Amino acid sequence: MASYEDVMSLSVRRGFLWPAVDLYGGFAGFYDYGHNGVLLRRRWEDRWIETFLGLSDNYYLIDTTTILPEAALKASGHVDHFTDILVTCTRCGESYRGDQLLEAATHEEQEGLTTEEIDARIQELKIRCPNCKGVLGPSREFHMMFPLEVGPTGKDRAYLRPETAQGVFLNFKREFEALRRRLPMGLAIVGRAYRNEISPRQGAYRMREFIQAELQIFFDPATFGDAVPFQDIASVPVRVAWASEKHAPTAHDAPAKDLVGHGLPPWYVYHLVQVQRFYLDLLRIPRDAFRFAELDEKERAFYNKIHFDIQVRQESLGGFKEVGGVHYRTDHDLRGHEAGSHAKQSVTFGTSKLVPHVLELSFGVDRNVWALLDLSYAKGERVVLRLPVQVAPVPVAVFPLVNKDGLPERAEALYAGLRKRIAAFYDDSGSIGRRYARMDEIGTPFSVTVDHETLEGKGVTLRERDSQKQIRVKEGDLATTLNQLLSGEATFPA
RNA sequence: GCGCCGGUAGUCUAACGGUAAGACUCAGGCCUUCCAAGCCUGCGACGCGGGUUCGACUCCCGCCCGGCGCACCA
């Protein structure tokens, strides 16, 4: 159980994460990572890449620009759908979205109107503030995307990318050729994206600059179902909350085949299971703190035919919070770019010619890092960060029991040898208990202590963080033992 | 963006219209045969700007930042 203050205070104190530019009072919606935060985040990213690119031989990482010209984002729909016209009441100060006000009055879809057009329509329809009947306006544009002026004249309008996915879609044809025209093909990006959130809140949960890890899987909807080994996972229980029960504080288990019975495609459910495995088995998220939450038609984006949020329950954020999503985007994106660029996006695969469909596995990296900090936070007599072994920023610490009798020299020699293979950390300040406590706070799973028996050739002690138990390990076996523990091949006591 | 509350060392707290206090952390030292022991020494703070005042961390105004509620979150 960790409050928001608990997690934030530890993050700041121990070099994980803190508000950016706080020297100048801070910068809302922006956070900087410290040395342990970067290590934790990169290990999370490494595990993500291993897990999801590991789903197929034909899934790869690419890297694309963070700035995109207006034309590309026009075609993707972001220029129209990511820009709101806001109208503020002159009396009570409430703000409304102009298109929604007009739609409520006319019952017709209102899209792509300018501020002038919206003001004119409000006057014409005599729309007043729904809250206080005050006079509305004038309206103004609000961009969820950060606009940029590129080039000396600034006439080349561009934006910081609002999602990494577009970089993949823009490179689909190139990679389809380079990867020798095979489907399914997966392209992933781990990188930064930008949204001008109106009200950034709750630490790393809603930021204006954030890191996404997204895998876009391009497939032929006619054959994708046959390409995944659904039978292997048909009876695996999946944690789900349907749209109708999403506000309940829990979820329930349903066998994968029941989800298919509920109308979800087998290939979609197959990927839910893979995502669930990542969270439950690798990241060790408690089962009852994990779920897929279905979004109903109103909540999901217009291009998502099927959309489940990946949610993790976090005490610091007040319950289940979205850390990712599994989105069936159909052929919407490639068709959009085909229309916008006039470059054919259809491909010939086997005997059929098609515009591939897309399944997107999308993750907010910062949100995942925060969730790990939240769930790992254990407060007893002191704070222990029970991070899963495979993402811990510092996997191993080495100490001399006391600073005399040649123990520091012996411990330093051991450390020097160990760090050639393992990211180890050496400390000889304070007492042994204090050093253990320090490592516990940053989630170091294993500590090695050189004591007097070590000098007699009787090995070192190896301590586990969560149990505080110790075993003796021969110095010659130490690196191997640690590697097995850190890779998950062995469990303590090894 | 609106409303409410708040902002003091790295963290957590205190006090005061007149020299900003403490705990923990951290650094150095002594001591120490396994879980933040003890002792000594040291570093370190009033979010920013303006106003009132002889004097402002304290009162007033604006801004920034944060939490919560509303709105927003294709």
Side-chain angles (χ1 to χ4, degrees), chain A residues 356-369:
Chain A
H357 282 221
V358 170
L359 176 63
E360 173 184 73
L361 309 185
S362 174
F363 300 74
V365 176
D366 318 274
R367 289 178 173 189
N368 275 273
V369 168

Side-chain angles (χ1 to χ4, degrees), chain A residues 286-453:
Chain A
R287 191 171 189 89
D288 67 351
F290 175 87
R291 70 180 188 184
F292 294 107
E294 183 189 34
L295 268 68
D296 65 34
E297 202 169 343
K298 266 189 169 171
E299 295 170 308
R300 62 181 191 248
F302 60 97
Y303 55 71
N304 279 334
K305 199 165 170 190
I306 309 173
H307 179 163
F308 280 77
D309 272 353
I310 304 162
Q311 297 187 341
V312 173
R313 194 178 59 217
Q314 298 160 72
E315 208 59 41
S316 65
L317 300 180
F320 275 104
K321 286 288 192 174
E322 178 191 358
V323 295
V326 181
H327 314 132
Y328 175 29
R329 299 178 72 132
T330 70
D331 56 0
H332 170 82
D333 297 280
L334 291 183
R335 284 200 186 280
H337 287 302
E338 184 170 270
S341 67
H342 308 296
K344 284 267 179 272
Q345 297 296 305
S346 58
V347 298
T348 302
F349 178 67
T351 54
S352 56
K353 186 170 184 185
L354 77 157
V355 174
H357 282 221
V358 170
L359 176 63
E360 173 184 73
L361 309 185
S362 174
F363 300 74
V365 176
D366 318 274
R367 289 178 173 189
N368 275 273
V369 168
W370 182 274
L372 280 175
L373 291 172
D374 175 288
L375 287 169
S376 302
Y377 191 101
K379 192 167 192 173
E381 282 178 30
R382 59 196 194 207
V383 174
V384 179
L385 204 56
R386 302 182 145 199
L387 288 170
V389 166
Q390 296 190 61
V391 296
V394 177
V396 180
V398 179
F399 313 128
L401 182 59
V402 289
N403 286 314
K404 60 179 186 184
D405 306 330
L407 295 184
E409 293 75 9
R410 188 66 179 267
E412 279 188 72
L414 179 71
Y415 162 70
L418 212 51
R419 74 178 307 203
K420 288 174 191 159
R421 294 169 61 183
I422 298 171
F425 177 79
Y426 179 81
D427 192 5
D428 62 7
S429 81
S431 65
I432 186 72
R434 177 176 296 257
R435 289 176 229 145
Y436 286 145
R438 273 199 282 250
M439 300 321 289
D440 285 348
E441 273 205 337
I442 63 164
T444 296
F446 302 107
S447 295
V448 173
T449 301
V450 167
D451 59 17
H452 289 88
E453 290 181 52

Side-chain angles (χ1 to χ4, degrees), chain A residues 53 60-64 167-169 171-172 175 179 186-190:
Chain A
L53 297 196
Y60 290 92
L61 208 53
I62 65 169
D63 194 18
T64 68
V168 165
F169 302 133
N171 287 282
F172 165 72
E175 281 291 354
L179 285 169
L187 296 177
I189 294 178
V190 178

Side-chain angles (χ1 to χ4, degrees), chain A residues 427-482:
Chain A
D427 192 5
D428 62 7
S429 81
S431 65
I432 186 72
R434 177 176 296 257
R435 289 176 229 145
Y436 286 145
R438 273 199 282 250
M439 300 321 289
D440 285 348
E441 273 205 337
I442 63 164
T444 296
F446 302 107
S447 295
V448 173
T449 301
V450 167
D451 59 17
H452 289 88
E453 290 181 52
T454 309
L455 301 179
E456 299 164 19
K458 293 180 181 168
V460 296
T461 64
L462 179 59
R463 168 196 186 262
E464 194 210 18
R465 176 194 65 207
D466 296 345
S467 64
Q468 295 197 1
K469 289 204 172 110
Q470 294 185 355
I471 56 172
R472 282 205 92 81
V473 179
K474 286 181 188 163
E475 282 184 77
D477 297 340
L478 185 61
T480 307
T481 302
L482 284 172

Side-chain angles (χ1 to χ4, degrees), chain A residues 230-238 254-258 273 287:
Chain A
F230 182 78
Q231 279 316 310
D232 296 352
I233 56 98
S235 54
V236 172
V238 183
K257 56 179 177 290
D258 286 13
V273 170
R287 191 171 189 89

